[in-house]
Amino acid sequence: MSSSRSTSRAKHGARVIAQTIVDAKLHADFEESSNTFDYSSSVHVRSSGSDSNQPRSDKVTTSYLHQIQKGKFIQPFGCLVALDEKSLKVIAYSENASEMLTITSHAVPSVGDHPVLGIGTDLRAICTSPSASALQKALGFNEVSLLNPILVHCKTSGKPFYAILHRVTGSVIIDFEPVKPSDVPMTVAGPLQSYKLAAKAINRLQSLPSGSMEKLCDTMVQEVFELTGYDRVMAYKFHDDDHGEVVAEITKPGHEPFLGLHYPATDIPQAARFLFLKNKVRMICDCRAKNVKVLQDESFPFDLTLCGSTLRAPHGCHGQFMENMNSIASLVMAVVINEGDDEGDIPNASVPQKRKRLWGLVVCHHAAPRFVPFPLRYACEFLAQVFAIHVSKELELERQILEKNVLRTQTLLCDMLMRDAPLGIMNQSPNVMALVKCNGAALLYNNKIWKLGITPSDYYLRDIASWLSMHHTETTGLSTDSLYDAGYPGALALGDEVCGMAAVKITADDMLFWFRSHTAAEVRWGGASHEPDAKDDGTKMHPRLSFKAFLEVVKNRSAPWMDFEMDAIHSLQLILRNTFNDTKVSDLRTTAIHSRIDELSLDGSRELEAVTTEMVRLIETATVPILAVDSDGLINGWNGKISELTGLSMEAAIGKHILTLLEETSVDTVKRMLHLALEGEEEKNIEFEIKRHQDKEDMGPVCLIVNACASKDLEQNVVGVCFIAQDITCQKTMMDKFTKIEGDYRAIIQNPNALIPPMFGTDDFGWCCEWNSAMEKLSGWKREEIVDKMLLGEVFGTHMSCCRLKNQEAFVNLGVAMNNAMSGRESEKVPFGFSCRNGKYIECLLCMSKKVDNEGAITGVFCFLQLASPELQQALHLQRLTEQTALKSLRSLAYMKRQVRNPLSGIIYYHKTVEQTELGEEQKQLLHNSRQCQQQLEKVLGDSDLDSIIDGYLDLEMMEFTIQDVMVAAISQAIVKSKEKNIEILHNLSEDKWSEVLYGDRLRLQQVIADFLLVSVNFTPSGGIVGITVRSREDHLAESVRLAHVEFRMCHAGSGVPEELLSQMFETSSETSEEGVSLLISRKLVNLMNGEIQYLREAGSSTFIISMEFAVA
């Protein structure tokens, strides 16, 4: 799958470069043509380029990118000043800065001349002394943007401004945004204050159940709509081909709906998308306002870039597009997700961060100029980050569901191939179209064609196959969303119904095809149509023109093929090719297959037995509390540590229901935990309390932190739950006392007592104010190194921070938890991890509690870390190792079963081929006997749940059979071994016994007889004899109902089967061996058929006596 993803990324990179050239030419056309600009021509730019125009294209693109990055204009709602970071003197300023910063308020008397703002002006001449000091202090931080906004006051007028700082090469840029009198200014810096504004919206998002991207997007736009007050809020989603779609929308009455609108990639240029990855919130207050120029010191060696400025002016035709949409003001939030399926390693200097991708945008439009203060924009940015995390989870859930469906379909198709290769995937249900989303499929096999759904005609199918063979000789297939772009000459003749294709070669002459219709066929937008007499101005950008342009772009183009879809197609291709190759495998391999599958099954059983033994030993000797329950919640495991803590012995606990042993306050928690675990969802780090008994009752309940581990059988069915716990009773007692204390907390924080867990705290503005000795020991950072740093960003962050977090999601989750605690909401324990000073990664639980003063006002947050004890960490490590060993064995077994099925399908194919030829009676009988053995092998390959046999709940497959069929097939399986040892197999069956028709599970009986016969041959001396006799008597249960009691006796010479094997068969020994497991399974099968096994030893010989009951047909 990684190769498919790499290819997809390479294609996307090439598409971004090509689209950037298109964006640049569109922008240049707009700049050059002014009022004559025709936006509808943008859809033809891609095909209008030629080699002769390439130099101009390169020049245009370079100029465009330079203008995007080095633009010299800002919006007029604020002013900009750039400082040399060392001298704090002005090196650039906007033309409106002097007026905005130095003009005297009418309410404040003015004395003397105002200082003149210009190149070289000192920062201290612009702001009051406290404001200048605050800015200087902020510049001492590595991540200066984490402190935004900083409230400052103009020195001459006293007017308040929010200063928003960010660094660029060689300087610091400060955006000054005026604080309106109607707004309550934020008096202290830090994101924690801004987060409070989005608290309600964040809680709404986090309370949503997973499984609905539509509901998630609808909730997001609703919350942003209420938070910001814009006329329209939309959620844009970028598709894999970079075109956009409005997937959620809410508007005030009277606005045309855009929900469902698709627009081409040029509407949001690639350069703008790149800027959204850097500056995740973008506000345009008034698209009609005249932009303000930025003047720069000509001696400064670098051209300033305004990419990170909140005031940056919009580029090119974007302002016109907004005005044509009747949108004068806008606010846009980027939705940035991490790309990739795996979690990635713990970040460090040598490990690159996961690639970020712009999934989409949350866009707000307003019909009049609108200004949103920076704190609220910061809150929106944080809300968008929380939204992005949920989007990532929904995408992962959707991917898992799709891949699960693909795997299920693959399995069904494989089964069809075993029965009828390759036509089963075309003429049975589900067919090959169910594997991936498509409109049609076709199979070219043996120069014949089978078709499903919408496909080209037979002529064009053969023409496409010929074209692939001529122009794609080095590949085994092709996938494209446009046959026209791929170069197929007949693409236009196919029309809109066949645009995209995925094709794979099975052999040199055989191919399998999937086809897709054009994308526009699936697109619906309510705003796309209007009155027949109404016309749009083709020279202006407008949503209807964007939609029309999009339809032109996707003409003759289908939806792209996803990576997981191509992986599924290639997997089926390999299976088909293997199926064809396997038909050439000789029947002589059957013996080797039997031998290998027996070896693997027994090796797997041995490993699983070892794993089971180790787990039992671990549970019994573990120094942490461990208990286990079955699927009904009844205790079936209770180790010594939990007995010691609760005072309840193992004998007394076994068989009790777990809920009867809990404190009332924990019953619902454990009910939910048990229910989820039985559904396969294992909860971690859950706290509950369990009662004490006997002489320990007065000590109060035992408080445990528990991980649930589902116990599964070989078919991955959950049959019980194991709880691995850590006793935190002492720590909880200490924490409870601690959290009840009001006021300073300092005495406890600085107490070195080992029972006090690692703790740290912040004031109500997010500055770290506490860092106890346990935290010093854990992190490696001294208290004096941490206190007075910003907790979010400087202490815990993803880049230049003391304790590095794993990723941006962890940073956002920490901010959410702090925001909840500051709001006074009850805090739950959340998983938390960070890298300490020596690089070691710490995993723990984080619990937060508000800090209050004597009057009950919230003054900050205290944070507690709960760490797993070394014993629990060791137990979990051993558990992971044993689970990995078991999984490795199961994977090997599953792999072998899968690989055995492929040559087995070849053997079946040969048998079908031979059956269609003219055969004599003896040859037909041999073929029939071989088929019996194949059916037995198929039955054994399906035995993944041995517990169903051992515990006696396997469903037998009832059918009519004769003793003759069973005995001939069973004896044939021992012939090779008997000839090697020169052993003769004799039987004295009478003719009537051979032909008597019984009713039962023929294949299971055949398996049992063959197994005991082989064991008899193995323990018979060379040159000996194995004799088989069958006896039967009938009981008449009713007038037409007869029951046959059948007894098989297998007598063999020699000392007989060793006692160790017999002990394993009769389950009187804990040892296991290959033959012992096989005999045990056979004995259990006999029990299922109302029978029993006996083994008699006599002088010089021994006998297996197998008795069973069958209905007489």
Side-chain angles (χ1 to χ4, degrees):
M1 186 171 290
S2 59
S3 61
S4 298
R5 192 173 295 112
S6 299
T7 303
S8 177
R9 287 177 180 174
K11 289 181 179 179
H12 181 262
R15 187 165 57 246
V16 167
I17 294 172
Q19 190 62 53
T20 302
I21 296 172
V22 175
D23 296 336
K25 186 170 187 311
L26 177 63
H27 181 81
D29 289 346
F30 175 81
E31 295 291 333
E32 294 173 3
S33 57
S34 185
N35 293 333
T36 62
F37 173 67
D38 186 356
Y39 177 67
S40 62
S41 66
S42 67
V43 297
H44 305 299
V45 172
R46 183 177 301 176
S47 59
S48 64
S50 63
D51 293 340
S52 62
N53 291 334
Q54 194 60 40
R56 179 180 180 276
S57 178
D58 290 344
K59 184 177 180 180
V60 167
T61 303
T62 303
S63 174
Y64 166 69
L65 293 176
H66 185 271
Q67 185 174 350
I68 287 286
Q69 296 180 37
K70 308 294 183 180
K72 299 297 183 183
F73 292 88
I74 65 169
Q75 299 177 69
F77 68 84
C79 63
L80 178 146
V81 173
L83 303 176
D84 178 81
E85 193 164 357
K86 294 181 180 179
S87 65
L88 299 183
K89 292 187 176 181
V90 175
I91 59 173
Y93 62 94
S94 60
E95 289 181 331
N96 65 341
S98 178
E99 178 183 2
M100 187 171 285
L101 293 176
T102 61
I103 190 170
T104 304
S105 170
H106 293 295
V108 180
S110 173
V111 179
D113 296 331
H114 302 158
V116 178
L117 177 64
I119 302 298
T121 301
D122 193 282
L123 171 67
R124 289 173 282 269
I126 302 173
C127 303
T128 61
S129 294
S131 298
S133 298
L135 292 174
Q136 280 184 284
K137 180 182 178 181
L139 293 177
F141 289 81
N142 289 321
E143 292 289 332
V144 63
S145 60
L146 290 172
L147 303 180
N148 291 329
I150 300 173
L151 183 68
V152 298
H153 291 81
C154 177
K155 189 171 186 177
T156 56
S157 66
K159 290 174 63 176
F161 289 85
Y162 284 131
I164 298 101
L165 290 71
H166 73 277
R167 284 190 172 91
V168 296
T169 305
S171 63
V172 174
I173 293 179
I174 306 177
D175 295 320
F176 289 97
E177 296 184 10
V179 178
K180 294 185 177 181
S182 58
D183 295 333
V184 178
M186 182 182 298
T187 56
V188 182
L192 194 59
Q193 299 297 307
S194 297
Y195 293 172
K196 292 179 180 179
L197 299 173
K200 170 181 167 291
I202 291 171
N203 288 335
R204 279 285 309 277
L205 287 181
Q206 293 189 313
S207 65
L208 291 175
S210 60
S212 175
M213 181 72 81
E214 180 181 0
K215 180 66 174 175
L216 176 64
C217 294
D218 287 342
T219 303
M220 178 64 179
V221 298
Q222 176 69 43
E223 292 301 318
V224 174
F225 183 75
E226 295 176 3
L227 191 63
T228 62
Y230 279 80
D231 292 339
R232 181 198 307 273
V233 180
M234 298 171 286
Y236 289 178
K237 170 188 173 182
F238 294 135
H239 288 262
D240 290 323
D241 61 356
D242 286 333
H243 92 268
E245 178 188 0
V246 180
V247 295
E249 180 188 42
I250 184 171
T251 69
K252 291 182 180 178
H255 291 267
E256 179 184 12
F258 293 158
L259 182 63
L261 166 67
H262 288 247
Y263 52 88
T266 49
D267 272 21
I268 301 179
Q270 293 295 334
R273 301 184 193 205
F274 175 77
L275 291 180
F276 276 122
L277 291 173
K278 304 296 182 183
N279 198 0
K280 297 182 177 61
V281 174
R282 169 82 161 135
M283 180 177 67
I284 298 176
C285 289
D286 185 351
C287 68
R288 298 173 299 190
K290 185 179 179 180
N291 295 328
V292 179
K293 189 173 183 179
V294 175
L295 305 176
Q296 180 179 332
D297 184 357
E298 295 181 357
S299 64
F300 193 69
F302 305 103
D303 283 339
L304 285 179
T305 173
L306 303 183
C307 292
S309 170
T310 63
L311 301 173
R312 178 171 56 86
H315 289 280
C317 49
H318 181 68
Q320 185 203 84
F321 194 20
M322 286 182 60
E323 191 170 356
N324 294 340
M325 294 175 69
N326 195 31
S327 174
I328 305 304
S330 69
L331 179 67
V332 182
M333 290 149 268
V335 182
V336 181
I337 64 174
N338 288 326
E339 199 163 57
D341 300 329
D342 49 356
E343 285 295 325
D345 296 329
I346 298 162
N348 55 55
S350 62
V351 179
Q353 295 291 310
K354 287 198 294 184
R355 181 175 179 268
K356 294 185 180 299
R357 177 170 71 88
L358 186 64
W359 176 84
L361 304 171
V362 176
V363 182
C364 309
H365 286 177
H366 206 69
R370 185 170 183 80
F371 172 79
V372 174
F374 182 84
L376 184 54
R377 303 204 307 270
Y378 205 149
C380 288
E381 179 179 349
F382 185 59
L383 177 61
Q385 291 177 337
V386 175
F387 174 62
I389 291 173
H390 287 276
V391 167
S392 296
K393 292 178 179 178
E394 291 298 327
L395 290 175
E396 176 63 17
L397 181 60
E398 288 178 1
R399 185 188 65 79
Q400 290 176 356
I401 292 173
L402 287 171
E403 289 188 350
K404 185 177 180 180
N405 291 336
V406 167
L407 289 173
R408 184 185 299 114
T409 304
Q410 275 184 310
T411 302
L412 293 172
L413 292 176
C414 289
D415 290 339
M416 293 175 187
L417 285 171
M418 289 179 61
R419 294 191 295 270
D420 184 12
L423 301 183
I425 59 174
M426 300 297 293
N427 54 28
Q428 297 187 35
S429 180
N431 55 49
V432 72
M433 285 182 65
L435 186 63
V436 295
K437 184 179 180 181
C438 63
N439 300 101
L443 172 66
L444 176 60
Y445 174 61
N446 281 346
N447 205 31
K448 296 181 180 179
I449 293 177
W450 288 262
K451 296 190 294 186
L452 297 168
I454 300 173
T455 66
S457 65
D458 289 4
Y459 167 79
Y460 279 109
L461 277 172
R462 296 185 191 277
D463 190 51
I464 292 173
S466 176
W467 172 70
L468 288 172
S469 299
M470 291 177 61
H471 298 279
H472 296 273
T473 55
E474 297 181 358
T475 63
T476 60
L478 173 72
S479 65
T480 178
D481 58 0
S482 173
L483 279 167
Y484 178 79
D485 286 356
Y488 172 56
L492 294 179
L494 298 177
D496 292 338
E497 289 192 332
V498 177
C499 296
M501 180 190 75
V504 291
K505 296 179 182 177
I506 305 170
T507 67
D509 301 317
D510 302 322
M511 292 186 184
L512 188 56
F513 305 88
W514 290 262
F515 296 100
R516 281 179 175 170
S517 301
H518 64 126
T519 302
E522 301 177 9
V523 173
R524 299 288 183 272
W525 173 42
S529 59
H530 52 101
E531 295 299 324
D533 296 334
K535 294 183 178 180
D536 291 317
D537 185 352
T539 65
K540 295 182 177 181
M541 298 176 70
H542 187 275
R544 266 193 293 273
L545 287 179
S546 289
F547 188 70
K548 181 180 177 182
F550 164 74
L551 294 181
E552 287 294 322
V553 170
V554 300
K555 193 175 182 180
N556 301 321
R557 187 177 301 279
S558 74
W561 301 92
M562 301 291 100
D563 289 341
F564 73 88
E565 292 178 318
M566 293 312 303
D567 289 333
I569 287 173
H570 289 146
S571 296
L572 181 60
Q573 177 190 22
L574 291 175
I575 293 169
L576 281 167
R577 299 180 81 170
N578 287 336
T579 301
F580 282 24
N581 292 334
D582 290 338
T583 60
K584 302 174 183 178
V585 177
S586 170
D587 287 332
L588 295 177
R589 296 183 60 187
T590 304
T591 303
I593 293 170
H594 276 283
S595 174
R596 180 60 184 138
I597 195 65
D598 287 342
E599 289 177 11
L600 185 68
S601 299
L602 294 168
D603 287 345
S605 299
R606 189 185 300 115
E607 285 193 37
L608 290 174
E609 180 67 24
V611 168
T612 303
T613 303
E614 175 63 19
M615 286 298 292
V616 171
R617 187 197 66 78
L618 173 65
I619 290 174
E620 291 176 348
T621 61
T623 56
V624 296
I626 300 178
L627 60 148
V629 299
D630 61 18
S631 58
D632 295 322
L634 301 179
I635 300 289
N636 57 14
W638 189 266
N639 79 336
K641 186 64 176 179
I642 192 76
S643 296
E644 175 189 332
L645 290 172
T646 61
L648 185 65
S649 66
M650 180 183 70
E651 293 77 11
I654 296 297
K656 292 183 179 293
H657 200 285
I658 186 173
L659 298 182
T660 64
L661 304 178
L662 302 173
E663 291 290 315
E664 287 296 325
T665 55
S666 299
V667 169
D668 290 339
T669 300
V670 176
K671 272 185 180 179
R672 177 178 178 276
M673 193 178 187
L674 184 60
H675 172 73
L676 291 176
L678 292 174
E679 293 293 324
E681 182 178 343
E682 300 172 337
E683 288 195 304
K684 307 294 182 185
N685 304 316
I686 303 299
E687 180 180 324
F688 65 73
E689 294 181 336
I690 194 166
K691 298 174 183 176
R692 294 188 195 259
H693 299 267
Q694 297 180 0
D695 57 341
K696 296 188 176 185
E697 287 187 36
D698 296 336
M699 298 172 63
V702 178
C703 186
L704 302 174
I705 288 288
V706 181
N707 289 350
C709 305
S711 303
K712 300 180 180 179
D713 57 23
L714 288 175
E715 284 192 338
Q716 297 299 299
N717 297 316
V718 179
V719 296
V721 183
C722 180
F723 297 98
I724 300 177
Q726 180 184 2
D727 177 23
I728 61 165
T729 307
C730 293
Q731 293 94 321
K732 186 173 186 301
T733 302
M734 181 64 69
M735 278 192 206
D736 288 344
K737 291 179 181 179
F738 180 79
T739 53
K740 292 176 182 177
I741 297 176
E742 296 181 358
D744 190 17
Y745 298 95
R746 191 172 301 278
I748 295 180
I749 277 286
Q750 297 180 354
N751 192 324
N753 192 315
L755 290 178
I756 296 180
M759 298 181 186
F760 54 91
T762 73
D763 61 18
D764 54 340
F765 300 112
W767 299 96
C768 185
C769 59
E770 296 295 350
W771 193 264
N772 76 339
S773 57
M775 198 66 203
E776 287 183 333
K777 183 178 179 181
L778 178 67
S779 67
W781 293 93
K782 296 295 184 183
R783 184 177 186 276
E784 55 270 21
E785 296 176 291
I786 297 296
V787 170
D788 292 334
K789 290 184 182 293
M790 184 65 67
L791 190 74
L792 286 174
E794 285 194 290
V795 180
F796 295 105
T798 57
H799 298 294
M800 304 297 292
S801 54
C802 299
C803 302
R804 293 190 64 186
L805 302 178
K806 192 172 185 179
N807 50 35
Q808 182 66 21
E809 181 177 342
F811 182 80
V812 172
N813 287 336
L814 178 60
V816 171
M818 290 184 64
N819 179 58
N820 289 338
M822 285 290 294
S823 302
R825 284 187 290 275
E826 191 69 25
S827 174
E828 295 182 356
K829 295 180 179 67
V830 294
F832 184 62
F834 62 91
S835 295
C836 57
R837 195 167 198 164
N838 62 9
K840 181 181 178 182
Y841 190 72
I842 304 296
E843 291 184 281
C844 53
L845 290 177
L846 172 65
C847 181
M848 292 189 174
S849 176
K850 63 184 178 183
K851 183 173 65 171
V852 297
D853 59 18
N854 293 330
E855 297 178 355
I858 298 176
T859 60
V861 176
F862 266 117
C863 308
F864 315 92
L865 299 184
Q866 289 184 352
L867 302 172
S869 66
E871 293 84 359
L872 178 58
Q873 292 179 5
Q874 179 67 15
L876 293 174
H877 177 67
L878 287 176
Q879 178 196 354
R880 285 193 293 269
L881 289 180
T882 52
E883 287 177 348
Q884 289 170 3
T885 302
L887 182 60
K888 181 180 177 182
S889 178
L890 289 174
R891 283 177 175 172
S892 298
L893 189 59
Y895 167 76
M896 281 302 300
K897 286 184 175 184
R898 179 72 266 168
Q899 294 305 310
V900 168
R901 289 184 188 275
N902 289 336
L904 181 60
S905 64
I907 295 171
I908 294 171
Y909 168 76
Y910 269 117
H911 276 283
K912 288 185 176 180
T913 303
V914 173
E915 285 175 350
Q916 295 173 1
T917 63
E918 294 185 6
L919 301 173
E921 288 301 319
E922 184 176 353
Q923 292 171 319
K924 289 181 180 179
Q925 184 61 45
L926 290 173
L927 200 62
H928 175 72
N929 296 340
S930 177
R931 179 59 180 159
Q932 303 284 83
C933 294
Q934 289 169 10
Q935 290 175 346
Q936 181 184 330
L937 176 57
E938 290 179 51
K939 176 72 73 174
V940 172
L941 287 174
D943 282 342
S944 55
D945 183 12
L946 294 182
D947 286 343
S948 66
I949 299 175
I950 294 173
D951 295 337
Y953 59 86
L954 176 74
D955 290 330
L956 297 177
E957 187 175 344
M958 312 303 284
M959 65 182 72
E960 293 183 355
F961 66 91
T962 65
I963 297 295
Q964 178 183 17
D965 281 346
V966 172
M967 292 303 300
V968 170
I971 291 172
S972 68
Q973 296 175 49
I975 291 295
V976 174
K977 187 68 174 179
S978 64
K979 287 186 175 181
E980 287 178 0
K981 299 179 67 174
N982 195 25
I983 294 174
E984 188 176 3
I985 299 177
L986 302 177
H987 58 80
N988 61 349
L989 301 176
S990 59
E991 286 298 325
D992 59 331
K993 297 303 179 188
W994 278 95
S995 59
E996 186 174 25
V997 179
L998 304 178
Y999 189 75
D1001 195 327
R1002 171 180 60 81
L1003 293 177
R1004 293 300 184 184
L1005 176 60
Q1006 183 175 298
Q1007 177 184 344
V1008 168
I1009 300 300
D1011 196 23
F1012 284 109
L1013 182 57
L1014 276 167
V1015 171
S1016 299
V1017 170
N1018 284 338
F1019 292 100
T1020 298
S1022 297
I1025 296 175
V1026 175
I1028 304 174
T1029 60
V1030 179
R1031 298 174 182 173
S1032 175
R1033 64 179 179 82
E1034 292 184 2
D1035 284 344
H1036 290 266
L1037 303 182
E1039 184 176 344
S1040 58
V1041 180
R1042 293 180 295 161
L1043 186 66
H1045 301 272
V1046 183
E1047 181 184 273
F1048 298 86
R1049 288 179 176 257
M1050 300 179 192
C1051 182
H1052 58 97
S1055 58
V1057 178
E1059 284 295 333
E1060 297 82 26
L1061 286 183
L1062 295 177
S1063 297
Q1064 293 171 34
M1065 181 180 72
F1066 290 111
E1067 297 181 283
T1068 58
S1069 171
S1070 60
E1071 300 295 327
T1072 58
S1073 65
E1074 298 178 0
E1075 290 178 311
V1077 172
S1078 181
L1079 288 174
L1080 172 62
I1081 295 299
S1082 293
R1083 185 177 72 85
K1084 293 293 186 177
L1085 288 172
V1086 170
N1087 294 155
L1088 282 168
M1089 292 182 274
N1090 296 325
E1092 61 178 4
I1093 301 287
Q1094 299 179 60
Y1095 191 71
L1096 301 180
R1097 293 186 189 274
E1098 299 173 338
S1101 66
S1102 301
T1103 304
F1104 278 112
I1105 303 175
I1106 309 162
S1107 58
M1108 286 170 281
E1109 295 180 352
F1110 301 99
V1112 179

